[in-house]
């Protein structure tokens, strides 16, 4: 049915030696997106209070 590129979880984490770089960039991406949503949410609440 489906062919997986990795045979185990350690293969996914290691990624033929490139895992450190891939997961570091992925982590930075998630942190950046999460921070952006948090700041945007704070700004929305701030301006909602101003409007009322």
């Amino acid at each position: 049915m489906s062919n997986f590129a990795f045979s185990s979880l350690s293969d996914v984490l290691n990624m033929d030696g490139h895992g450190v770089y891939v997961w570091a960039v992925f982590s930075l991406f998630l942190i950046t997106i999460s921070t952006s949503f948090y700041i945007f949410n704070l700004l929305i609440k701030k301006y909602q209070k101003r409007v009322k």
Side-chain angles (χ1 to χ4, degrees):
M1 294 257 236
S2 62
N3 296 327
F4 293 108
F6 304 105
S7 60
S8 68
L9 183 59
S10 82
D11 286 344
V12 171
L13 296 176
N14 190 20
M15 291 188 184
D16 291 329
H18 301 289
V20 173
Y21 307 110
V22 171
W23 294 113
V25 169
F26 185 70
S27 298
L28 283 172
F29 171 75
L30 287 179
I31 290 168
T32 303
I33 293 297
S34 299
T35 304
S36 297
F37 277 114
Y38 178 73
I39 291 171
F40 188 65
N41 194 18
L42 288 177
L43 288 172
I44 288 174
K45 288 180 182 180
K46 177 183 171 182
Y47 289 118
Q48 280 179 342
K49 286 181 183 177
R50 265 194 193 175
V51 170
K52 288 183 180 182

